Amino acid sequence: MATSTLPERAPAPAPALPLQQRHVGDRVFRLLLTLAAVAVPVLLAFLVLELWLGSRAAIERFGFDFVTSSTWDPVAERFGALPLVVGTLVSSFLALLIAVPLSLGVAIFLTEFAPGWLRQPVAFLIELLAAIPSVVYGLWGIFVLVPFLLRWVFPVLQDWLGFLPFFQGTIYGPSMFSASVILAIMVMPYVMSVSREVLLAVPPSQREAALALGATRWEAVMTAVVPYARSGIVGAVILGLGRALGETMAVTMLIGNRHDISASLFAPGYTMAAAIANEFAEAVADIHLAALSYVALLLFLVTVVVNALARLLIWRVARGVEGGRGA
Amino acid sequence: MNRRIWRRTRSGLMVGLVGLAVVLALVPLGLILGHLLVKGAGSLDWAFFTRGPAPTGVEGGGVVHAIVGTLIIVGVASLMGLPVGIAAGIYCAEYPGTRLATATRFVADVMNGTPSIVVGVFAWTWIVAPQKHFSAFAGSVALAFLMVPMVLRTTEEMIKLVPHSLREAALALGYPRWRTSLAVVVRTTLPGIVTGSLLAVARIAGETAPLLFTALGSQFLSTRIDQPMAALPLVVFNYAIGPFEEWHRLAWATALVLILVVLVLSVAARIATRGRFTLRG
């Protein structure tokens, strides 16, 4: 801090405390703050440790086969998480497939084309979506979204794209597709607001140069603004992926909860988070609990990697503009 | 000539398309809020706020047990999470170059991305498993864990906005560093810190996943923190996936109450600092 450049003893009004005691105050203050700051990494380390201890029995028994086997039979005490892993990946990717074009469109519109008075209110409204609790999305999904999809969307998709294996077979209401749609709505505000921040960080000279060369407004955006912000936008998408992977309640309520891998997106599936949510409170066997903890540990590790990657990409773009603020 | 017209048209078309994306993105928000009002508002009567749940199959009943439960669980979580988060945030802002600050900041980002269900498993393994019974306290611990990184980052960001001259003026007047930090720096940013805390409270009040196997839920009005306790999000979940029409009606009403609490807290907090924050964590 800049304080080190200041004289140790200020000549102004007599300090209330002698210098010696002031140092004591400083030390106590710093000690208290340090304790809190140390507590944060310690807590996280503790979380990893507890998850590992909780899942040790399952790790020892199933090892890495856990993620390649697809039998999930609590009675026979055989556990394989492949359907959960696949379900998590499929629902998240499908959600991003829907959410990313929309969020990028909104972000581009708000930073490049919207009139000034419209920008803040619209951004605020979309971020409001992020404030709605997951369980409320689930409720709305069960009673409004799923009936709507069943009536208007799924049959049409099957008619048009029925030649693809993803859209064949019996149509279920609670299904991989329903869960992905609700996930898309939930992830959208995150992708939107981060890509908006990244686009705002693109220097104006960038678009002015393109416009001066005779580009139309859209061409300026696509040739000068978006490429400049590319890695930040990728970061925003990956951040959205991190959110989608760990999202629990709404997915649990809409995905149908079946330990099964099926090609059809209209069939019920399962995700890692949903399996934990559904089975943890009811699991009685120790090995069942350990298997679920193992799933939690894997989910945690995946989200850490995904989030770290996203931060790195976003930080690279932001750094270019803000000149490396912070440490 | 032709080419220029084509380029202009395409530009106009694409602008229209991204404008359409905005409309599409706003549709779900309108629909969700609209449905909550239409399906929930009619059930919000005196009994809803003053009675506990009716026996299964009987009409009526309320959610007073869940309202009290949420207040207690979130209150205890705030008592634990806010001081740690704020103090660690002050540390990161006041000693920004230290290795500890860098590590803490990084860890807070990791914690922010941790799925809340994983934190629930953590609280179960740590507290519920050794005690061999579900407890509201374990739920509070899980929620506090989620609060710490949110409050930490907002506190740090707010303190960074304090101009150096203010700090230097206090030091020049002979204030020791700790009093400069508390009486000048923290005090100037107090509204911002309060806002950040409110946002964190709003976010965890709606969390369901960490409570599923910690607070568990309960059919009775209970104030014992070492016992299972009901909470608004748990009620929404259990009633929504239940088989009875009556339960669905209560789920909508409860969800409306929940979202009013969350939105009032977040919007108030947001207006107070005029857009310095985003609603995401």
Side-chain angles (χ1 to χ4, degrees):
Chain A
M1 274 282 98
T3 51
S4 55
T5 60
L6 293 170
E8 188 60 43
R9 187 199 293 271
L17 296 167
L19 205 56
Q20 201 58 39
Q21 275 178 338
R22 281 206 274 154
H23 283 304
V24 174
D26 279 350
R27 248 181 262 156
V28 172
F29 181 63
R30 183 161 184 165
L31 181 74
L32 287 176
L33 292 187
T34 309
L35 278 179
V38 168
V40 178
V42 167
L43 261 177
L44 188 73
F46 196 49
L47 174 131
V48 179
L49 181 72
E50 285 284 341
L51 284 183
W52 181 72
L53 287 176
S55 52
R56 204 168 46 175
I59 296 175
E60 278 164 7
R61 183 140 151 206
F62 306 116
F64 196 71
D65 287 344
F66 189 66
V67 286
T68 53
S69 142
S70 49
T71 324
W72 186 277
D73 187 350
V75 182
E77 303 203 335
R78 290 185 53 205
F79 297 97
L82 186 63
L84 303 179
V85 176
V86 172
T88 306
L89 293 179
V90 170
S91 60
S92 300
F93 279 113
L94 190 55
L96 285 181
L97 213 60
I98 303 169
V100 166
L102 265 182
S103 338
L104 287 187
V106 175
I108 290 175
F109 183 78
L110 288 183
T111 50
E112 307 294 328
F113 304 120
W117 56 268
L118 198 65
R119 296 179 183 199
Q120 278 299 327
V122 171
F124 172 70
L125 281 179
I126 290 181
E127 282 180 13
L128 216 51
L129 276 174
I132 297 177
S134 178
V135 72
V136 175
Y137 276 105
L139 175 78
W140 183 77
I142 291 180
F143 295 109
V144 181
L145 183 68
V146 167
F148 170 80
L149 291 174
L150 265 182
R151 175 96 174 72
W152 299 105
V153 179
F154 290 172
V156 176
L157 277 176
Q158 196 159 47
D159 276 354
W160 289 357
L161 301 167
F163 57 90
L164 292 171
F166 312 123
F167 302 102
Q168 287 168 0
T170 319
I171 297 177
Y172 292 84
S175 60
M176 192 63 93
F177 204 105
S178 307
S180 305
V181 174
I182 205 84
L183 261 183
I185 301 175
M186 299 178 72
V187 164
M188 195 176 56
Y190 294 93
V191 183
M192 192 283 296
S193 78
V194 177
S195 23
R196 198 180 96 159
E197 273 163 36
V198 172
L199 287 174
L200 282 175
V202 176
S205 56
Q206 197 75 9
R207 38 183 94 77
E208 282 158 13
L211 290 171
L213 286 172
T216 61
R217 289 180 74 188
W218 179 253
E219 284 164 353
V221 170
M222 291 320 278
T223 56
V225 179
V226 171
Y228 188 95
R230 190 187 292 132
S231 70
I233 291 176
V234 174
V237 173
I238 298 178
L239 204 67
L241 177 65
R243 286 278 153 185
L245 291 172
E247 189 43 62
T248 312
M249 297 317 297
V251 174
T252 309
M253 293 160 90
L254 292 190
I255 202 164
N257 301 330
R258 198 164 74 185
H259 284 282
D260 223 346
I261 303 178
S262 69
S264 170
L265 297 174
F266 297 145
Y270 227 154
T271 69
M272 298 163 87
I276 303 169
N278 263 326
E279 296 185 16
F280 208 94
E282 274 129 45
V284 273
D286 284 344
I287 190 73
H288 192 181
L289 286 167
L292 289 167
S293 291
Y294 195 0
V295 174
L297 183 62
L298 290 174
L299 183 60
F300 172 75
L301 294 177
V302 171
T303 48
V304 167
V305 171
V306 166
N307 279 308
L309 194 63
R311 297 272 168 211
L312 196 70
L313 287 164
I314 297 166
W315 176 71
R316 261 177 49 191
V317 176
R319 184 189 51 171
V321 185
E322 296 181 36
R325 79 165 217 263
Chain B
M1 197 61 194
N2 223 348
R3 190 170 152 71
R4 204 167 83 197
I5 294 171
W6 157 238
R7 285 173 55 207
R8 284 236 183 113
T9 323
R10 191 180 58 173
S11 178
L13 222 76
M14 292 314 287
V15 174
L17 216 60
V18 289
L20 191 71
V22 174
V23 178
L24 267 176
L26 288 177
V27 167
L29 181 70
L31 284 179
I32 292 172
L33 297 182
H35 278 113
L36 281 171
L37 277 176
V38 171
K39 301 198 176 196
S43 310
L44 298 182
D45 49 19
W46 182 245
F48 183 79
F49 291 105
T50 50
R51 296 237 187 98
T56 308
V58 179
E59 299 250 322
V63 292
V64 66
H65 61 310
I67 294 173
V68 172
T70 285
L71 284 178
I72 293 175
I73 294 172
V74 171
V76 174
S78 307
L79 282 181
M80 294 185 289
L82 291 180
V84 176
I86 292 173
I90 297 176
Y91 182 92
C92 288
E94 292 281 318
Y95 310 99
T98 57
R99 209 174 292 168
L100 178 60
T102 315
T104 300
R105 207 176 288 130
F106 174 75
V107 167
D109 278 344
V110 171
M111 278 164 81
N112 240 335
T114 304
S116 56
I117 186 87
V118 172
V119 179
V121 174
F122 164 58
W124 185 91
T125 326
W126 185 20
I127 297 170
V128 177
Q131 292 186 337
K132 301 200 191 314
H133 64 83
F134 296 102
S135 72
F137 180 70
S140 295
V141 168
L143 294 184
F145 184 96
L146 293 167
M147 285 181 103
V148 167
M150 300 182 212
V151 184
L152 190 157
R153 293 316 299 259
T154 44
T155 304
E156 192 198 349
E157 294 297 322
M158 291 313 296
I159 292 183
K160 272 191 192 159
L161 296 177
V162 177
H164 268 299
S165 52
L166 208 60
R167 200 189 297 268
E168 281 161 9
L171 288 165
L173 286 173
Y175 264 43
R177 284 201 61 171
W178 67 274
R179 282 193 64 188
T180 309
S181 292
L182 282 183
V184 178
V185 178
V186 172
R187 201 160 157 201
T188 347
T189 45
L190 202 58
I193 294 176
V194 171
T195 304
S197 307
L198 277 180
L199 277 183
V201 171
R203 282 185 54 89
I204 61 150
E207 280 288 353
T208 319
L211 301 182
L212 283 173
F213 29 84
T214 50
L216 190 69
S218 155
Q219 287 289 64
F220 309 103
L221 179 61
S222 155
T223 50
R224 289 193 55 184
I225 192 97
D226 59 336
Q227 294 297 320
M229 201 183 272
L232 288 170
L234 287 172
V235 168
V236 177
F237 177 59
N238 290 325
Y239 281 175
I241 60 172
F244 308 111
E245 279 297 317
E246 178 67 7
W247 283 13
H248 299 163
R249 184 181 70 81
L250 287 171
W252 281 106
T254 313
L256 180 62
V257 171
L258 186 61
I259 203 132
L260 284 179
V261 172
V262 171
L263 288 189
V264 165
L265 277 174
S266 347
V267 172
R270 172 129 176 163
I271 288 170
T273 41
R274 271 177 252 123
R276 248 180 244 158
F277 288 111
T278 53
L279 291 178
R280 67 203 158 74

